[in-house]
Amino acid sequence: MTAATEGQDDGDDAPVRHLLDVDDLDADELTALLDAAAAFGRSRDPPPSRALVGRSVVLLFEQPSTRTRVSFERAVTDLGGDTVFMGPGETQLSRGEPLRDTARCLAGYTDAIVARVEDHESLTELATYADVPVVNALSDRAHPCQTLADLLTVREVAGDLDGATAAWVGDGNNVARSFALGCAATGVDLTVATPPEHGLDDATLDRAAALGDAPTVTHDPETAVAGADVVYTDAWVSMNHSDRAERLATFETGGFQVDASLLPADAAFMHCLPAHRGAEVTDAVVESDRSVVWRQAENRRHAQTALLERLLAADARR
Ligand code: CP
């Protein structure tokens, strides 16, 4: 990996690699990582790599998680390492210890920090003060590990990423932002349909354009899904939104629910989960044979196995 955010460097070695968002990987690294993840996914056996034997990964989570926590724990175990889970309220952070102090201490005990944070700046601070790789396990701004699994899933559905067509329908949130970067980097033709006030920010569109093609932006879900290989949605309300009722009304009246009439007959349905049946998607679509959400969720494990193997191989100082 050559393009990751650089953290503290002790002067004798290559800079530590971090994954704070998708564009910390260059296109070649992303493709190689997806190839490795696909190989892990094809095998029911533990991966041949034992890259984490004798190594430990701390999962520092400020918010609840099902998929991210368990898929990371399984990925580390499969690579021969062990994990320490620190959930919400379980560290001295909750009593006011500075994050930079926590970062330096955790780096002394472990070989990587996988962090789920409310404020993306916390990840930047962790990466600045920890001299081990820091991985974004979701922030208010980005969800790159989700995108790795998403791209793997799109590739399984469409056969190839370059030229595949994807539609994002709903909120221009953290998952959408990272997905837009991932699509741009891999040649996926993405159209994003959001209400005007909940669209992707200009910075994300600019970053996507720097990687490849920025997504097409529309406010009409039907336009977005026409001809799409995959239709992807996520929650309309996340933990940091206080305007819940207003948001639900906006998305519902705008026709942003993915139901059987919106999902094209030959398109696959994607959702990062948890899904809110009856809101952004109907129960019938989640349970339909067009739904690839369980495969998408499983791909978190394979993608993160490949990611950790590469990140820790690059950080071979320990
Ligand atoms: N998709 C996702 O990040 O799921 P969890 O919140 O359960 O980790």
Side-chain angles (χ1 to χ4, degrees):
M1 297 184 185
T2 58
T5 306
E6 295 182 3
Q8 273 197 338
D9 181 9
D10 62 13
D12 296 330
D13 303 289
V16 177
R17 299 296 309 272
H18 306 292
L19 185 78
L20 304 193
D21 207 343
V22 174
D23 48 2
D24 283 336
L25 300 167
D26 67 28
D28 289 343
E29 289 173 330
L30 191 49
T31 299
L33 195 154
L34 294 174
D35 288 345
F40 289 147
R42 280 192 296 273
S43 171
R44 283 280 137 195
D45 301 324
S49 171
R50 304 292 285 167
L52 271 62
V53 170
R55 296 170 124 187
S56 186
V57 175
V58 62
L59 307 180
L60 182 65
F61 277 40
E62 291 180 354
Q63 295 173 342
S65 166
T66 299
R67 282 145 290 273
T68 306
R69 174 183 177 176
V70 177
S71 56
F72 263 111
E73 290 192 352
R74 181 62 194 264
V76 173
T77 303
D78 276 350
L79 291 168
D82 62 71
T83 56
V84 179
F85 182 77
M86 304 297 287
E90 284 192 279
T91 69
Q92 298 286 11
L93 287 168
S94 61
R95 299 170 67 194
E97 183 171 19
L99 188 59
R100 60 185 180 277
D101 296 0
T102 304
R104 287 175 286 201
C105 293
L106 292 179
Y109 307 138
T110 66
D111 300 281
I113 300 172
V114 173
R116 170 167 285 202
V117 299
E118 288 167 8
D119 181 350
H120 192 85
E121 296 309 320
S122 297
L123 289 169
T124 309
E125 187 167 349
L126 283 170
T128 300
Y129 287 96
D131 63 351
V132 297
V134 173
V135 176
N136 182 356
L138 183 143
S139 72
D140 57 335
R141 199 184 301 168
H143 201 357
C145 294
Q146 181 66 55
T147 297
L148 299 178
D150 298 342
L151 293 174
L152 197 54
T153 308
V154 173
R155 195 164 80 168
E156 289 170 354
V157 168
D160 196 359
L161 287 173
D162 194 14
T165 52
W168 177 275
V169 176
D171 188 20
N173 65 6
N174 45 5
V175 176
R177 283 192 283 271
S178 290
F179 187 61
L181 299 182
C183 287
T186 56
V188 176
D189 183 359
L190 173 65
T191 300
V192 174
T194 70
E197 62 273 43
H198 298 301
L200 290 178
D201 55 288
D202 288 343
T204 297
L205 296 174
D206 290 346
R207 286 165 68 197
L211 292 170
D213 288 330
T216 301
V217 172
T218 177
H219 306 305
D220 177 14
E222 303 228 359
T223 300
V225 303
D229 293 313
V230 300
V231 174
Y232 193 170
T233 190
D234 189 15
W236 290 340
V237 181
S238 301
M239 278 179 257
N240 56 344
H241 294 139
S242 55
D243 53 345
R244 177 182 171 82
E246 193 178 321
R247 291 178 70 90
L248 290 176
T250 299
F251 287 103
E252 190 175 342
T253 58
F256 287 91
Q257 183 185 74
V258 180
D259 60 13
S261 66
L262 183 63
L263 186 69
D266 53 356
F269 172 72
M270 293 176 59
H271 194 304
C272 62
L273 305 176
H276 305 83
R277 291 166 162 87
E280 74 270 8
V281 62
T282 59
D283 179 67
V285 165
V286 174
E287 300 294 343
S288 75
D289 60 5
R290 305 305 307 161
S291 171
V292 293
V293 300
W294 317 122
R295 183 69 196 168
Q296 185 183 0
E298 182 184 327
N299 281 338
R300 296 290 306 275
R301 170 186 165 196
H302 308 312
Q304 290 155 196
T305 303
L307 172 68
L308 289 174
E309 183 194 40
R310 277 158 172 69
L311 269 184
L312 290 175
D315 183 41
R317 299 176 300 165
R318 289 163 181 263

